Amino acid sequence: MADIEFPSELVDRQRAADQAWAALEAHRKQVDGQRRQDTPDTPGRPAWTARPMRPWTKTEDAEHQRLMTAAVSAQETLRAALAGARLSPDAATVQGLKNAARAERPAV
């Protein structure tokens, strides 16, 4: 199968979607790390049970929701751009676009 030449706008939209999802995941990891620090382990807890952690705060929840909304919006924008470029969102197209987005940006 021949490589697809993706328009730079489409590649930029893929990068924006990837960055938005990465920001959401980084936030979740940061919050969970803080929750682990904030919650003492239960003495005598069997090793096979999950360590209890404090609930998310309203502030953490609000930031998670903001980041989730941004990620979904970026993904919907990417999907619309794929349709506008008349590209099918099949596995080869999606993987090719992700590979193009990971490649270094050309010097301007």
Side-chain angles (χ1 to χ4, degrees):
M1 173 182 229
D3 288 338
I4 300 171
E5 185 89 17
F6 295 103
S8 61
E9 179 183 324
L10 197 55
V11 174
D12 288 343
R13 289 181 193 261
Q14 179 66 57
R15 282 187 183 118
D18 290 346
Q19 289 169 354
W21 288 111
L24 177 66
E25 179 64 6
H27 177 256
R28 185 199 60 78
K29 286 180 177 180
Q30 182 273 323
V31 169
D32 283 349
Q34 187 62 52
R35 290 171 62 214
R36 271 189 288 284
Q37 287 180 356
D38 293 349
T39 310
D41 201 357
T42 306
R45 174 183 59 86
W48 52 268
T49 61
R51 179 179 176 180
M53 291 193 287
R54 69 161 172 80
W56 283 50
T57 66
K58 288 182 181 182
T59 302
E60 291 164 344
D61 275 336
E63 179 62 6
H64 183 80
Q65 185 59 49
R66 184 189 72 76
L67 291 168
M68 177 64 82
T69 299
V72 169
S73 176
Q75 195 68 42
E76 288 171 345
T77 300
L78 172 61
R79 183 179 298 159
L82 272 169
R86 296 180 184 240
L87 292 171
S88 171
D90 59 32
T93 302
V94 170
Q95 191 58 55
L97 184 54
K98 284 187 165 288
N99 290 340
R102 277 191 286 261
E104 287 190 39
R105 289 183 172 202
V108 203

XYZ file of all heavy atoms in Angstrom:
834
model
N 0.850 -1.187 0.000
C 0.000 0.000 0.000
C 0.887 1.239 0.000
O 1.825 1.340 0.782
C -0.917 -0.028 1.216
C -1.709 1.238 1.400
S -2.715 1.146 2.894
C -4.239 1.674 2.181
N 0.584 2.187 -0.857
C 1.370 3.418 -0.953
C 1.099 4.317 0.250
O 0.001 4.328 0.797
C 1.010 4.154 -2.244
N 2.145 5.028 0.649
C 1.976 5.979 1.754
C 1.072 7.117 1.315
O 1.115 7.571 0.181
C 3.329 6.555 2.177
C 4.181 5.528 2.909
O 3.609 4.569 3.443
O 5.409 5.697 2.931
N 0.262 7.579 2.260
C -0.651 8.685 1.983
C 0.078 9.982 2.285
O 0.770 10.098 3.296
C -1.913 8.585 2.866
C -2.646 7.270 2.601
C -2.833 9.775 2.634
C -3.766 6.990 3.578
N -0.069 10.960 1.406
C 0.486 12.303 1.631
C -0.595 13.116 2.338
O -1.610 13.459 1.751
C 0.844 12.940 0.287
C 1.535 14.262 0.402
C 3.043 14.118 0.493
O 3.568 13.055 0.155
O 3.679 15.104 0.901
N -0.381 13.386 3.625
C -1.389 14.085 4.412
C -1.169 15.592 4.356
O -0.030 16.052 4.481
C -1.336 13.627 5.872
C -1.701 12.189 6.059
C -0.723 11.242 6.278
C -3.023 11.789 6.014
C -1.059 9.911 6.451
C -3.373 10.458 6.182
C -2.383 9.512 6.400
N -2.250 16.370 4.195
C -2.121 17.833 4.243
C -1.592 18.253 5.621
O -1.922 17.634 6.643
C -3.548 18.333 4.033
C -4.332 17.176 3.519
C -3.626 15.944 3.975
N -0.795 19.303 5.663
C -0.193 19.750 6.932
C -1.256 20.124 7.962
O -1.073 19.904 9.160
C 0.764 20.918 6.700
O 0.074 22.015 6.147
N -2.391 20.657 7.498
C -3.467 21.012 8.432
C -3.997 19.765 9.142
O -4.275 19.786 10.344
C -4.605 21.711 7.696
C -5.760 22.071 8.613
C -6.932 22.701 7.870
O -6.709 23.462 6.910
O -8.067 22.416 8.276
N -4.113 18.669 8.410
C -4.589 17.420 8.990
C -3.574 16.871 9.990
O -3.940 16.413 11.077
C -4.848 16.415 7.864
C -5.710 15.212 8.179
C -7.059 15.632 8.756
C -5.909 14.383 6.931
N -2.309 16.954 9.657
C -1.249 16.504 10.568
C -1.264 17.355 11.838
O -1.139 16.830 12.952
C 0.134 16.555 9.871
C 1.254 16.235 10.858
C 0.169 15.585 8.695
N -1.447 18.658 11.683
C -1.514 19.543 12.858
C -2.710 19.200 13.739
O -2.619 19.239 14.969
C -1.593 21.010 12.425
C -0.276 21.519 11.854
O 0.768 20.876 12.086
O -0.299 22.569 11.179
N -3.829 18.855 13.137
C -5.015 18.472 13.924
C -4.765 17.166 14.670
O -5.227 16.988 15.788
C -6.242 18.388 13.032
C -6.704 19.761 12.579
C -7.933 19.666 11.707
N -8.173 20.925 11.034
C -9.052 21.831 11.431
N -9.765 21.626 12.501
N -9.217 22.946 10.753
N -4.033 16.250 14.036
C -3.680 14.995 14.717
C -2.766 15.291 15.908
O -2.955 14.738 16.989
C -2.983 14.023 13.755
C -2.576 12.714 14.417
C -3.748 11.884 14.854
O -4.593 11.542 14.037
N -3.821 11.532 16.131
N -1.805 16.176 15.706
C -0.908 16.550 16.817
C -1.702 17.182 17.966
O -1.460 16.882 19.134
C 0.148 17.538 16.335
C 1.267 16.906 15.567
C 2.377 17.909 15.271
N 3.396 17.289 14.471
C 3.742 17.678 13.243
N 3.154 18.715 12.690
N 4.677 17.029 12.586
N -2.647 18.047 17.623
C -3.453 18.702 18.657
C -4.273 17.672 19.427
O -4.362 17.741 20.663
C -4.364 19.751 18.021
N -4.842 16.703 18.723
C -5.621 15.661 19.394
C -4.709 14.811 20.289
O -5.045 14.533 21.440
C -6.342 14.787 18.371
N -3.556 14.425 19.767
C -2.611 13.631 20.565
C -2.177 14.382 21.818
O -2.111 13.804 22.907
C -1.383 13.264 19.735
C -1.682 12.244 18.637
O -2.759 11.611 18.672
O -0.823 12.092 17.743
N -1.897 15.666 21.671
C -1.475 16.479 22.827
C -2.593 16.621 23.852
O -2.347 16.573 25.053
C -1.000 17.851 22.362
C 0.319 17.804 21.628
C 0.667 19.122 20.939
O -0.130 20.062 20.918
N 1.849 19.176 20.340
N -3.825 16.773 23.372
C -4.957 16.909 24.292
C -5.171 15.623 25.090
O -5.392 15.672 26.308
C -6.229 17.274 23.514
N -5.084 14.466 24.428
C -5.235 13.192 25.139
C -4.070 12.969 26.099
O -4.270 12.460 27.207
C -5.362 12.034 24.161
C -6.682 12.012 23.449
C -6.904 12.258 22.125
C -7.970 11.763 24.024
N -8.245 12.169 21.843
C -8.923 11.860 22.991
C -8.414 11.463 25.307
C -10.289 11.672 23.204
C -9.779 11.268 25.519
C -10.693 11.372 24.467
N -2.864 13.363 25.693
C -1.696 13.214 26.572
C -1.827 14.103 27.808
O -1.454 13.690 28.918
C -0.412 13.540 25.811
N -2.356 15.298 27.646
C -2.553 16.197 28.790
C -3.564 15.610 29.766
O -3.381 15.686 30.997
C -3.023 17.575 28.308
N -4.613 15.011 29.238
C -5.622 14.371 30.088
C -4.990 13.226 30.883
O -5.186 13.120 32.091
C -6.771 13.856 29.219
C -7.878 13.104 29.950
C -8.638 14.033 30.888
C -8.822 12.474 28.934
N -4.216 12.389 30.222
C -3.580 11.254 30.896
C -2.540 11.722 31.921
O -2.449 11.170 33.020
C -2.925 10.332 29.863
C -2.224 9.129 30.461
C -3.141 8.155 31.188
O -4.377 8.316 31.162
O -2.616 7.212 31.811
N -1.784 12.752 31.577
C -0.793 13.284 32.522
C -1.479 13.827 33.774
O -0.982 13.638 34.902
C 0.042 14.378 31.853
N -2.608 14.481 33.590
C -3.352 15.009 34.736
C -3.841 13.868 35.624
O -3.710 13.917 36.852
C -4.537 15.863 34.266
C -5.380 16.366 35.387
N -6.602 15.822 35.695
C -5.164 17.344 36.299
C -7.097 16.447 36.755
N -6.250 17.371 37.134
N -4.390 12.833 35.017
C -4.865 11.687 35.796
C -3.731 11.060 36.597
O -3.873 10.769 37.786
C -5.503 10.632 34.889
C -6.114 9.466 35.689
C -6.330 8.233 34.846
N -5.139 7.696 34.250
C -4.220 6.963 34.899
N -4.340 6.706 36.176
N -3.172 6.492 34.254
N -2.585 10.887 35.960
C -1.437 10.299 36.660
C -0.961 11.193 37.797
O -0.608 10.708 38.876
C -0.297 10.042 35.678
C -0.557 8.867 34.772
C 0.598 8.642 33.824
C 0.366 7.420 32.958
N 1.492 7.186 32.038
N -0.954 12.511 37.569
C -0.525 13.445 38.603
C -1.483 13.397 39.791
O -1.056 13.338 40.944
C -0.432 14.861 38.018
C 0.041 15.928 38.980
C -1.088 16.547 39.783
O -2.184 16.758 39.294
N -0.816 16.832 41.038
N -2.782 13.399 39.510
C -3.783 13.351 40.586
C -3.671 12.032 41.350
O -3.674 12.027 42.585
C -5.212 13.556 40.032
C -6.264 13.241 41.090
C -5.385 14.979 39.519
N -3.560 10.924 40.630
C -3.451 9.636 41.318
C -2.181 9.550 42.160
O -2.197 8.989 43.258
C -3.518 8.483 40.323
C -4.930 8.198 39.847
O -5.888 8.755 40.434
O -5.087 7.418 38.891
N -1.099 10.114 41.686
C 0.133 10.154 42.479
C -0.065 10.951 43.764
O 0.373 10.537 44.843
N -0.729 12.089 43.638
C -0.997 12.918 44.816
C -1.946 12.200 45.766
O -1.769 12.245 46.988
C -1.580 14.270 44.400
C -1.736 15.248 45.540
C -0.389 15.595 46.180
O 0.545 15.983 45.496
N -0.288 15.432 47.492
N -2.935 11.534 45.223
C -3.883 10.794 46.062
C -3.163 9.690 46.839
O -3.453 9.466 48.020
C -4.991 10.182 45.202
C -5.942 11.216 44.624
C -6.889 10.612 43.607
N -7.739 9.598 44.201
C -8.154 8.509 43.560
N -7.810 8.288 42.307
N -8.931 7.643 44.154
N -2.214 9.003 46.181
C -1.450 7.968 46.882
C -0.646 8.575 48.039
O -0.561 7.993 49.113
C -0.517 7.240 45.921
C -1.155 6.043 45.247
C -0.156 5.208 44.471
N 0.305 5.841 43.251
C -0.400 5.925 42.126
N -1.602 5.430 42.072
N 0.107 6.499 41.069
N -0.060 9.745 47.790
C 0.708 10.417 48.839
C -0.188 10.882 49.980
O 0.212 10.838 51.139
C 1.461 11.625 48.282
C 2.645 11.269 47.437
C 3.356 12.514 46.920
O 2.916 13.638 47.135
N 4.459 12.304 46.224
N -1.387 11.336 49.659
C -2.307 11.894 50.651
C -3.019 10.836 51.492
O -3.576 11.158 52.537
C -3.385 12.755 49.973
C -2.827 14.009 49.332
O -1.645 14.329 49.573
O -3.573 14.654 48.573
N -3.040 9.607 51.023
C -3.807 8.563 51.700
C -2.849 7.530 52.284
O -2.178 6.828 51.531
C -4.773 7.867 50.723
O -5.518 8.857 50.018
C -5.717 6.942 51.457
N -2.800 7.423 53.601
C -1.933 6.398 54.192
C -2.464 5.007 53.871
O -3.668 4.808 53.723
C -2.006 6.687 55.692
C -3.252 7.462 55.887
C -3.529 8.186 54.598
N -1.539 4.076 53.737
C -1.932 2.699 53.466
C -2.594 2.108 54.710
O -2.339 2.535 55.831
C -0.704 1.873 53.085
C -1.052 0.619 52.313
O -2.250 0.355 52.112
O -0.122 -0.085 51.910
N -3.464 1.155 54.509
C -4.151 0.496 55.609
C -3.230 -0.561 56.204
O -2.796 -1.470 55.476
C -5.449 -0.176 55.097
O -6.227 0.799 54.427
C -6.236 -0.793 56.222
N -2.908 -0.451 57.496
C -2.046 -1.469 58.105
C -2.696 -2.859 58.005
O -3.901 -3.010 58.199
C -1.959 -1.029 59.570
C -2.352 0.407 59.577
C -3.288 0.593 58.434
N -1.912 -3.834 57.642
C -2.406 -5.198 57.541
C -3.193 -5.488 56.277
O -3.785 -6.562 56.157
N -3.197 -4.558 55.333
C -3.933 -4.769 54.078
C -3.286 -5.923 53.319
O -2.085 -5.931 53.115
C -3.888 -3.502 53.226
C -4.504 -3.672 51.842
C -4.365 -2.412 50.996
N -2.998 -1.989 50.779
C -2.211 -2.444 49.789
N -2.655 -3.345 48.940
N -0.981 -2.001 49.654
N -4.086 -6.911 52.920
C -3.511 -8.008 52.123
C -2.925 -7.454 50.826
O -3.487 -6.540 50.217
C -4.702 -8.920 51.836
C -5.740 -8.539 52.845
C -5.497 -7.093 53.186
N -1.809 -7.976 50.395
C -1.119 -7.485 49.195
C -1.970 -7.608 47.936
O -1.772 -6.862 46.982
C 0.196 -8.225 49.015
N -2.922 -8.511 47.924
C -3.727 -8.723 46.722
C -4.890 -7.747 46.608
O -5.605 -7.737 45.608
C -4.235 -10.166 46.663
C -4.943 -10.628 47.906
C -4.380 -11.262 48.978
C -6.319 -10.457 48.214
N -5.337 -11.496 49.930
C -6.538 -11.019 49.493
C -7.405 -9.888 47.566
C -7.777 -11.028 50.116
C -8.639 -9.897 48.179
C -8.820 -10.470 49.440
N -5.101 -6.892 47.610
C -6.187 -5.904 47.521
C -5.615 -4.542 47.146
O -4.477 -4.225 47.458
C -6.955 -5.771 48.850
O -6.054 -5.345 49.868
C -7.602 -7.082 49.241
N -6.418 -3.752 46.484
C -5.986 -2.422 46.060
C -5.814 -1.505 47.264
O -6.564 -1.587 48.238
C -7.007 -1.823 45.098
N -4.818 -0.658 47.179
C -4.597 0.328 48.224
C -5.697 1.383 48.128
O -5.947 1.929 47.060
C -3.232 0.987 48.028
C -2.940 2.044 49.055
C -1.583 2.650 48.834
N -1.387 3.734 49.778
C -0.303 4.459 49.830
N 0.689 4.225 48.999
N -0.184 5.418 50.706
N -6.338 1.690 49.236
C -7.390 2.723 49.176
C -6.771 4.105 48.954
O -5.667 4.384 49.418
C -8.053 2.630 50.544
C -7.001 2.059 51.434
C -6.155 1.167 50.566
N -7.472 4.935 48.216
C -7.014 6.308 48.005
C -8.176 7.262 48.255
O -9.337 6.890 48.096
C -6.484 6.496 46.580
C -5.198 5.751 46.312
S -4.380 6.246 44.774
C -5.437 5.520 43.547
N -7.837 8.479 48.624
C -8.868 9.488 48.853
C -9.607 9.758 47.550
O -9.072 9.565 46.458
C -8.251 10.779 49.390
C -7.390 11.503 48.360
C -7.171 12.959 48.727
N -6.199 13.590 47.855
C -6.462 14.049 46.636
N -7.665 13.950 46.109
N -5.514 14.627 45.914
N -10.847 10.230 47.630
C -11.587 10.590 46.414
C -10.955 11.817 45.731
O -10.207 12.568 46.353
C -12.982 10.938 46.926
C -13.051 10.451 48.329
C -11.644 10.372 48.833
N -11.279 11.987 44.472
C -10.839 13.181 43.755
C -11.534 14.392 44.372
O -12.699 14.317 44.778
C -11.226 13.079 42.285
C -10.341 12.181 41.466
C -9.966 10.904 41.755
C -9.747 12.500 40.214
N -9.183 10.410 40.764
C -9.026 11.370 39.794
C -9.758 13.620 39.402
C -8.316 11.336 38.601
C -9.061 13.577 38.217
C -8.343 12.448 37.828
N -10.824 15.521 44.381
C -11.426 16.757 44.871
C -12.278 17.382 43.766
O -12.159 17.013 42.593
C -10.355 17.777 45.300
O -9.631 18.191 44.128
C -9.404 17.199 46.340
N -13.117 18.339 44.133
C -13.929 19.043 43.128
C -13.039 19.766 42.128
O -13.338 19.803 40.928
C -14.880 20.023 43.808
C -16.016 19.339 44.523
C -16.972 20.343 45.138
C -18.087 19.604 45.869
N -19.063 20.501 46.446
N -11.936 20.324 42.600
C -11.002 21.026 41.710
C -10.360 20.052 40.727
O -10.251 20.347 39.527
C -9.913 21.742 42.537
O -10.553 22.651 43.436
C -8.938 22.492 41.659
N -9.949 18.889 41.222
C -9.350 17.873 40.348
C -10.374 17.377 39.333
O -10.051 17.225 38.139
C -8.829 16.697 41.185
C -7.623 17.056 42.026
C -7.327 16.050 43.124
O -8.213 15.205 43.452
O -6.211 16.096 43.667
N -11.590 17.134 39.794
C -12.659 16.705 38.888
C -12.935 17.749 37.806
O -13.116 17.406 36.633
C -13.959 16.448 39.653
C -14.042 15.055 40.245
O -13.365 14.145 39.734
O -14.793 14.890 41.218
N -12.976 19.009 38.211
C -13.264 20.082 37.252
C -12.167 20.179 36.190
O -12.464 20.344 34.992
C -13.421 21.418 37.974
N -10.919 20.054 36.611
C -9.806 20.109 35.646
C -9.855 18.886 34.721
O -9.620 19.007 33.515
C -8.465 20.189 36.373
C -7.262 20.236 35.462
C -7.196 21.446 34.544
O -8.032 22.368 34.647
O -6.287 21.482 33.692
N -10.163 17.732 35.278
C -10.280 16.523 34.461
C -11.383 16.711 33.415
O -11.196 16.363 32.246
C -10.577 15.312 35.346
C -10.643 14.033 34.587
N -9.521 13.339 34.200
C -11.704 13.323 34.118
C -9.885 12.265 33.530
N -11.209 12.232 33.471
N -12.497 17.265 33.830
C -13.605 17.485 32.898
C -13.215 18.482 31.814
O -13.532 18.292 30.638
C -14.855 17.978 33.639
C -16.066 18.100 32.747
C -16.445 16.779 32.085
O -16.546 15.755 32.744
N -16.634 16.797 30.777
N -12.500 19.534 32.186
C -12.050 20.524 31.196
C -11.119 19.870 30.179
O -11.271 20.063 28.967
C -11.325 21.681 31.903
C -10.919 22.807 30.948
C -10.016 23.818 31.630
N -8.685 23.309 31.888
C -7.729 23.158 30.959
N -7.969 23.475 29.699
N -6.540 22.696 31.278
N -10.174 19.069 30.673
C -9.226 18.397 29.774
C -9.933 17.354 28.906
O -9.593 17.196 27.722
C -8.095 17.760 30.584
C -7.139 18.741 31.241
C -6.249 18.031 32.248
C -6.308 19.487 30.205
N -10.897 16.653 29.464
C -11.656 15.664 28.695
C -12.451 16.349 27.580
O -12.460 15.878 26.435
C -12.609 14.891 29.607
C -13.487 13.886 28.873
S -12.573 12.560 28.083
C -12.332 11.489 29.488
N -13.070 17.463 27.902
C -13.823 18.210 26.895
C -12.902 18.683 25.772
O -13.248 18.584 24.591
C -14.544 19.406 27.553
O -15.448 18.894 28.542
C -15.308 20.238 26.536
N -11.724 19.163 26.127
C -10.760 19.615 25.120
C -10.291 18.457 24.243
O -10.169 18.602 23.020
C -9.568 20.280 25.794
N -10.046 17.295 24.839
C -9.582 16.136 24.079
C -10.669 15.642 23.120
O -10.395 15.350 21.952
C -9.144 15.021 25.027
N -11.885 15.561 23.606
C -12.993 15.104 22.751
C -13.216 16.100 21.611
O -13.415 15.710 20.458
C -14.275 14.893 23.586
C -15.490 14.695 22.693
C -14.098 13.700 24.525
N -13.149 17.372 21.926
C -13.316 18.401 20.891
C -12.222 18.294 19.821
O -12.501 18.377 18.616
C -13.305 19.788 21.537
O -13.381 20.782 20.548
N -10.976 18.114 20.263
C -9.863 17.972 19.313
C -10.048 16.730 18.453
O -9.775 16.749 17.245
C -8.537 17.916 20.064
N -10.545 15.648 19.049
C -10.764 14.410 18.295
C -11.899 14.583 17.290
O -11.810 14.114 16.157
C -11.067 13.259 19.255
C -10.950 11.904 18.608
C -9.517 11.563 18.246
O -8.604 11.814 19.015
N -9.323 10.988 17.080
N -12.966 15.276 17.688
C -14.082 15.519 16.772
C -13.646 16.419 15.615
O -14.055 16.208 14.471
C -15.255 16.133 17.526
C -15.949 15.152 18.437
C -16.979 15.785 19.360
O -16.984 17.034 19.509
O -17.780 15.029 19.935
N -12.809 17.405 15.918
C -12.287 18.285 14.869
C -11.433 17.490 13.890
O -11.522 17.680 12.672
C -11.474 19.433 15.501
O -12.330 20.185 16.362
C -10.877 20.350 14.456
N -10.616 16.584 14.416
C -9.795 15.720 13.560
C -10.673 14.832 12.692
O -10.444 14.691 11.487
C -8.855 14.874 14.417
C -8.068 13.792 13.682
C -7.167 14.399 12.611
C -7.258 12.972 14.677
N -11.705 14.244 13.284
C -12.613 13.374 12.525
C -13.277 14.150 11.388
O -13.386 13.656 10.266
C -13.666 12.782 13.448
C -14.597 11.810 12.718
C -15.622 11.216 13.631
N -14.975 10.445 14.663
C -15.536 10.124 15.820
N -16.751 10.518 16.091
N -14.889 9.412 16.703
N -13.712 15.365 11.671
C -14.342 16.195 10.644
C -13.333 16.551 9.545
O -13.678 16.572 8.359
C -14.916 17.457 11.270
N -12.088 16.811 9.943
C -11.054 17.134 8.954
C -10.751 15.927 8.069
O -10.530 16.076 6.858
C -9.788 17.617 9.655
N -10.747 14.724 8.649
C -10.558 13.514 7.847
C -11.683 13.378 6.819
O -11.430 13.086 5.648
C -10.540 12.276 8.743
C -9.207 11.857 9.323
C -9.401 10.785 10.385
C -8.262 11.384 8.255
N -12.913 13.587 7.272
C -14.054 13.499 6.360
C -13.957 14.571 5.280
O -14.233 14.301 4.107
C -15.362 13.639 7.137
N -13.551 15.786 5.676
C -13.402 16.873 4.721
C -12.334 16.594 3.676
O -12.428 17.047 2.533
N -11.308 15.833 4.068
C -10.235 15.464 3.138
C -10.594 14.204 2.347
O -9.790 13.711 1.558
C -8.931 15.247 3.900
N -11.815 13.699 2.598
C -12.308 12.491 1.937
C -11.404 11.285 2.185
O -11.139 10.483 1.289
C -12.509 12.717 0.449
C -13.583 13.746 0.175
C -13.772 13.952 -1.305
N -14.735 15.005 -1.516
C -15.867 14.835 -2.155
N -16.172 13.681 -2.665
N -16.690 15.841 -2.305
N -10.934 11.196 3.424
C -10.127 10.052 3.830
C -10.942 9.177 4.771
O -11.625 9.678 5.666
C -8.850 10.516 4.538
C -7.835 11.238 3.671
C -6.730 11.839 4.517
C -7.243 10.264 2.652
N -10.863 7.893 4.537
C -11.564 6.944 5.394
C -10.769 6.777 6.691
O -9.550 6.657 6.653
C -11.665 5.600 4.670
O -12.140 4.621 5.551
N -11.453 6.738 7.826
C -10.723 6.551 9.084
C -10.391 5.074 9.332
O -10.592 4.552 10.416
C -11.703 7.099 10.130
C -13.049 6.854 9.543
C -12.872 7.005 8.052
N -9.852 4.409 8.296
C -9.473 3.010 8.463
C -8.118 2.921 9.168
O -7.456 3.937 9.400
C -9.450 2.281 7.116
C -8.481 2.910 6.118
O -7.437 3.449 6.545
O -8.765 2.849 4.913
N -7.717 1.730 9.507
C -6.498 1.529 10.300
C -5.258 2.097 9.602
O -4.427 2.752 10.241
C -6.299 0.054 10.605
N -5.130 1.881 8.314
C -3.945 2.360 7.593
C -3.883 3.885 7.577
O -2.812 4.471 7.769
C -3.945 1.816 6.168
N -5.015 4.525 7.370
C -5.055 5.987 7.348
C -4.745 6.557 8.728
O -3.924 7.467 8.861
C -6.433 6.487 6.876
O -6.692 5.962 5.578
C -6.483 8.002 6.836
N -5.388 6.012 9.751
C -5.178 6.515 11.112
C -3.727 6.323 11.529
O -3.101 7.246 12.072
C -6.147 5.825 12.096
C -5.788 6.136 13.533
C -7.581 6.244 11.794
N -3.165 5.136 11.264
C -1.772 4.882 11.649
C -0.824 5.774 10.856
O 0.134 6.311 11.403
C -1.406 3.416 11.452
C -0.076 3.045 12.068
C -0.024 3.321 13.561
O -0.865 2.847 14.301
N 0.942 4.089 14.000
N -1.083 5.942 9.578
C -0.239 6.812 8.763
C -0.271 8.251 9.249
O 0.760 8.927 9.304
N -1.460 8.723 9.616
C -1.597 10.087 10.114
C -0.885 10.249 11.457
O -0.200 11.237 11.693
C -3.070 10.461 10.231
C -3.389 11.891 10.637
C -2.707 12.909 9.727
C -4.898 12.100 10.646
N -1.026 9.249 12.337
C -0.333 9.308 13.624
C 1.183 9.318 13.419
O 1.905 10.047 14.089
C -0.743 8.142 14.518
C -2.114 8.325 15.127
C -2.400 7.224 16.122
C -3.572 7.571 16.991
N -3.311 8.608 17.965
N 1.671 8.500 12.487
C 3.108 8.490 12.190
C 3.571 9.836 11.642
O 4.639 10.327 12.017
C 3.444 7.377 11.203
C 3.312 5.998 11.813
O 3.326 5.829 13.032
N 3.168 4.988 10.967
N 2.778 10.425 10.775
C 3.131 11.741 10.219
C 3.144 12.800 11.319
O 4.009 13.679 11.322
C 2.140 12.131 9.127
N 2.230 12.704 12.274
C 2.167 13.683 13.359
C 3.343 13.538 14.311
O 3.795 14.512 14.916
C 0.851 13.541 14.116
N 3.839 12.301 14.465
C 4.992 12.069 15.349
C 6.309 12.533 14.740
O 7.270 12.793 15.456
C 5.096 10.592 15.710
C 4.220 10.186 16.845
C 4.565 8.802 17.320
N 4.099 7.799 16.389
C 2.967 7.082 16.527
N 2.216 7.252 17.552
N 2.617 6.211 15.627
N 6.336 12.580 13.416
C 7.554 13.013 12.737
C 7.851 14.475 13.110
O 6.955 15.240 13.420
C 7.381 12.887 11.230
N 9.120 14.811 13.075
C 9.490 16.187 13.416
C 8.897 17.164 12.422
O 8.789 16.872 11.244
C 11.005 16.338 13.418
C 11.656 15.682 14.610
C 13.119 16.059 14.718
O 13.460 17.226 14.462
O 13.897 15.166 15.051
N 8.526 18.313 12.961
C 8.006 19.364 12.087
C 9.142 19.908 11.231
O 10.253 20.104 11.726
C 7.415 20.503 12.903
C 6.131 20.127 13.575
C 5.592 21.307 14.290
N 4.251 20.973 14.767
C 3.353 21.849 15.050
N 3.611 23.125 14.956
N 2.171 21.486 15.487
N 8.870 20.173 9.973
C 9.914 20.755 9.112
C 10.260 22.176 9.592
O 9.433 22.895 10.123
C 9.285 20.775 7.722
C 7.813 20.631 7.948
C 7.623 19.970 9.281
N 11.531 22.558 9.399
C 11.971 23.910 9.765
C 11.261 24.909 8.883
O 11.078 24.711 7.692
C 13.473 24.025 9.599
N 10.839 26.015 9.484
C 10.104 27.018 8.730
C 10.984 28.191 8.393
O 11.874 28.558 9.039
C 8.896 27.553 9.538
C 7.873 28.124 8.584
C 8.270 26.512 10.410
